[in-house]
Every structure is written in structure tokens, then in C-alpha cells.
Amino acid sequence: MRGAITTRVLPRQYEFLKACQEKRYVAFVGGIQSGKTTSAALQAWIEVARNRPPHRGWIVAPTYQLSEVPERDFVALMPEGIKRIRRENQRLIYELYNGHTVEFKTAEDPDKLRGERLAWVHVEEAAQLTREVVDILYGRVLA
């Protein structure tokens, strides 16, 4: 992996990142500007560095608009870690130097979330997702 991330984290962000190392499922519940999205981007890079099979992760948001902010944060944290950006339909797929891929998905059509096997998934604005979407996402990681 190329590059390194150097950033300061808030105490709640640190608690979240530490919990992600110890538990399978973790929620960061906080107010506006509490660091939830940045924490998710940091955790995504940690998962990329782990590079567990199947070497693919998703960040899923309820809508396309809500997926743009975590995508910007992910890219801004370590742009030198991105080998290539590939466009598939209307979304971008980030191919990283260690062979991992990261995709930013929307939950607007739950059926488009089926079928893939993932090493990890992060959900942005989870309270806005339907139970069907949550069940599908659990299945992507558990498969």
C-alpha cells in the first residue's frame, strides 16, 4: 500500500475506530458534524489495508446524493492509494494498489445490492435504510 494517513481524530471517532477492531458490527451514533462520515472513510482505509478476501468493500448510502460526501472523504484521506478509477454505469469503482476495490453504492434499488461477496460494508445514514436493505447487506458480508 502506498502512502499514509495522518489525521487527528476526535475522542468519539477514536472510540468508533477502536470498536471496529474489536467487534463485527459497530454503530457510530452522533449529531451533525460529529465526525461520523470521516470515521467511516478512515475505517474504510483500515479495511483496505487489511485486504481480506474477497478484497472488495462497499460504502452504502440511502441515496446517490448521500453517497457523495463519504466518497469525497475517502478519496481526500489518501488519494495516492488509488491506482485507478473505473466507471461502471453511473458509479465509480476505486481500484487500489493492493488489489482491493471500494465501491460507493446507493440503497435506492435493493435488488442491485444482491449477489456480491464483500470483505466489509459501511452504511451511511443507516436509520434511513429499510429492513430489506439491511438484511441484504448482512448477507453480503456473511456469505
Side-chain angles (χ1 to χ4, degrees):
M1 190 61 136
R2 297 172 185 223
I5 297 172
T6 55
T7 188
R8 289 182 180 215
V9 295
L10 301 171
R12 294 273 319 272
Q13 291 173 309
Y14 177 79
E15 289 173 24
F16 169 77
L17 295 168
K18 186 172 188 273
C20 288
Q21 306 313 304
E22 299 167 355
K23 297 181 170 60
R24 186 171 176 103
Y25 303 105
V26 179
F28 187 148
V29 180
I32 295 169
Q33 297 294 311
S34 61
K36 299 180 301 289
T37 301
T38 301
S39 297
L42 282 165
Q43 183 58 32
W45 278 110
I46 291 168
E47 293 299 335
V48 165
R50 285 182 176 168
N51 205 24
R52 292 180 295 173
H55 312 290
R56 163 180 252 137
W58 285 355
I59 295 180
V60 179
T63 65
Y64 176 77
Q65 282 181 307
L66 288 173
S67 73
E68 291 177 323
V69 176
E71 187 170 11
R72 279 194 305 266
D73 281 4
F74 177 80
V75 171
L77 278 171
M78 198 164 77
E80 65 276 9
I82 299 168
K83 181 177 183 179
R84 184 169 76 121
I85 302 171
R86 187 167 37 97
R87 181 174 292 281
E88 245 180 53
N89 300 324
Q90 293 183 340
R91 69 184 200 284
L92 300 176
I93 298 172
Y94 293 86
E95 296 178 359
L96 310 174
Y97 279 99
N98 67 350
H100 208 89
T101 59
V102 176
E103 298 180 48
F104 292 79
K105 302 277 219 172
T106 168
E108 292 171 313
D109 183 353
D111 285 334
K112 290 185 178 178
L113 300 172
R114 297 182 190 278
E116 293 282 346
R117 287 182 49 237
L118 301 171
W120 57 273
V121 65
H122 168 77
V123 176
E124 188 76 9
E125 302 295 341
Q128 295 182 31
L129 299 183
T130 65
R131 180 65 194 193
E132 177 188 18
V133 168
V134 172
D135 289 343
I136 290 168
L137 293 175
Y138 275 139
R140 299 312 91 220
V141 178
L142 295 176

